Amino acid sequence: KAGVTQTPRYLIKTRGQQVTLSCSPISGHRSVSWYQQTPGQGLQFLFEYFSETQRNKGNFPGRFSGRQFSNSRSEMNVSTLELGDSALYLCASSLQQLADNEQFFGPGTRLTVL
Amino acid sequence: AQSVAQPEDQVNVAEGNPLTVKCTYSVSGNPYLFWYVQYPNRGLQFLLKYITGDNLVKGSYGFEAEFNKSQTSFHLKKPSALVSDSALYFCAVRDTGYSTLTFGKGTMLLVSP
């Protein structure tokens, strides 16, 4: 079974721009979660989508948004980029909603904001 | 609120020696606890979880973790470390009543030959 894939793997943007990241979950997985990983803050939860609906949201500003399509693929969008948005963005999928289920992580998208 | 702490940024151990990576948590209900590992340039991989039952949980790659309710700890252990165990380890917790995980900041494990 193919793992979680994320595209692109690397991105360089400038302040004020917007960016869209993509995540394809493992086939059959209906839950997709997004995390931001930085050296100082560790891994922080952004949001979770299940059956095309946002089920949970972390403590991030409204510039961060996402959506999930009927095939469970998910996109994350960040508008008006700031320098502090530079991070590794990880997507994870699981069979059911987050809860106690094992999550399978993709390799991440490394975003650099200049 | 739920929180988790990994008090060591880095743990150094020689190959063949036992290793321990520490994790403590704070919840108001019952904890659900997880360990994940991240190798360089890779996403996180699930190692093991504690939901209920036996306090000693066995996971992938020979790792195990012991749930200690009185000390609110969930330390990750392995009897004999391998150089290939060198990676970043994350502990995570979910409190009853919450539906998301809170991750610790990670502990870098370095196993020397």
Side-chain angles (χ1 to χ4, degrees), chain B residues 41-93:
Chain B
N41 300 314
R42 304 275 294 277
L44 277 68
Q45 294 179 33
F46 171 81
L47 278 178
L48 50 80
K49 67 180 179 183
Y50 171 83
I51 304 298
T52 186
D54 196 350
N55 289 345
L56 185 64
V57 180
K58 294 190 182 296
S60 307
Y61 313 121
F63 284 94
E64 58 188 29
E66 186 166 12
F67 170 65
N68 188 317
K69 188 171 183 177
S70 62
Q71 296 186 4
T72 61
S73 67
F74 189 58
H75 300 332
L76 182 70
K77 300 182 179 185
K78 188 174 182 181
S80 178
L82 299 172
V83 172
S84 58
D85 292 331
S86 298
L88 186 58
Y89 290 79
F90 289 93
C91 181
V93 67

Side-chain angles (χ1 to χ4, degrees), chain A residues 9-10 35 37 40-43 45 48 56 88 90 98-103 105-107, chain B residues 32 34 36 38 41-46 49 51 88 90 94 99-105:
Chain A
R9 292 292 311 276
Y10 302 91
Y35 294 87
Q37 184 179 8
Q41 298 297 318
L43 211 65
F45 173 77
E48 180 202 7
N56 294 290
L88 180 67
L90 293 166
L98 206 50
D100 312 320
N101 292 290
E102 171 185 351
Q103 294 180 83
F105 283 79
Chain B
Y32 299 83
F34 301 78
Y36 283 83
Q38 185 177 35
N41 300 314
R42 304 275 294 277
L44 277 68
Q45 294 179 33
F46 171 81
K49 67 180 179 183
I51 304 298
L88 186 58
F90 289 93
R94 183 180 79 79
S99 52
T100 62
L101 293 179
T102 296
F103 282 82
K105 294 194 175 181

Side-chain angles (χ1 to χ4, degrees), chain A residues 1 10 14 29 46 49 53 61 65 68 72 93 100 113:
Chain A
K1 222 178 215 185
Y10 302 91
T14 56
H29 285 195
L46 280 155
Y49 285 86
T53 303
S65 63
Q68 186 180 34
S72 293
S93 75
D100 312 320
V113 182

